[in-house]
Amino acid sequence: MDSKKRTEVCGMNTNFKNMIAELKATYDSSSFYVEAIDLKGQLEFDKKFDERLLESMKAYYKDHTIFIERERINDWKIWERVDKDYLKAYDFEEVGKILNIIMKHVNRIDLKE
């Protein structure tokens, strides 16, 4: 499913809808999108997706993939896949803004294990 359709499917939960709306207002959807999966294997656009069971997310920005994984209920691991497209110094500001938006909305979720 392409990134435009992923963000328009109505199966998303409230916090994810708000997060996607804020990201779409800030970034060009051709260079940025988010994928998420819950602990039951449901993707963010599935009607059965439960944001309270969020397991991991991938934020795609330009040529970078940033992984956000839940270690415990409120402990997160954030990393970028190591490949030929290392983060450049000028990318850090944008990546920081993206993570700020994402984690602002994730922190509003009443996470369950």
Side-chain angles (χ1 to χ4, degrees), residues 8 10 12 18-19 24 26 31 41 64 72 83 100 109:
E8 293 175 355
C10 62
M12 280 190 238
N18 293 338
M19 178 185 70
K24 282 175 71 173
T26 309
S31 64
H64 304 289
R72 290 182 202 82
D83 63 8
N100 186 42
I109 299 170

Side-chain angles (χ1 to χ4, degrees), residues 9-13 42-50:
V9 177
C10 62
M12 280 190 238
N13 302 141
Q42 299 296 316
L43 298 173
E44 81 282 354
F45 58 85
D46 293 330
K47 289 184 180 187
K48 293 182 180 181
F49 175 77
D50 186 347

